Amino acid sequence: MKYIMFEDFSGDPLPILFPNRIGYLEFREQIPYTNVLSAGYVQMRPNGISCHGECKELSTQPRTEDAQIIAAKLEAPEY
């Protein structure tokens, strides 16, 4: 899957995961948040979540903390 890490309106990182068949720019245009913090690919691996690759369309790549942020959001989703 692909992901884009946005900065939400309160300044917190917000990852959004989406299928590989959707382009980064196509997806980005649908989201109201201004700042893109990072983007790339995300996978579930035996030892946890892995973020890798790059997003040339948005001129960004995964950050070291992205996997931890995504894992935390999946483990304790906000309602």
Side-chain angles (χ1 to χ4, degrees):
M1 294 191 77
K2 292 179 179 177
Y3 78 95
I4 300 176
M5 186 78 66
F6 293 95
E7 182 179 323
D8 70 12
F9 297 126
S10 65
D12 294 326
L14 176 68
I16 301 180
L17 285 59
F18 56 101
N20 288 345
R21 69 178 181 267
I22 299 173
Y24 288 105
L25 283 177
E26 177 184 359
F27 188 79
R28 199 278 169 263
E29 291 173 352
Q30 305 302 314
I31 306 300
Y33 299 121
T34 305
N35 294 331
V36 172
L37 302 174
S38 60
Y41 293 91
V42 62
Q43 291 181 323
M44 292 294 295
R45 302 214 174 178
N47 59 343
I49 292 176
S50 170
C51 296
H52 58 90
E54 67 178 316
C55 175
K56 292 180 183 178
E57 298 161 295
L58 300 176
S59 300
T60 190
Q61 59 190 10
R63 302 174 304 162
T64 55
E65 64 267 30
D66 287 354
Q68 182 180 3
I69 293 168
I70 292 170
K73 294 290 186 180
L74 291 173
E75 290 173 3
E78 297 176 18
Y79 295 95

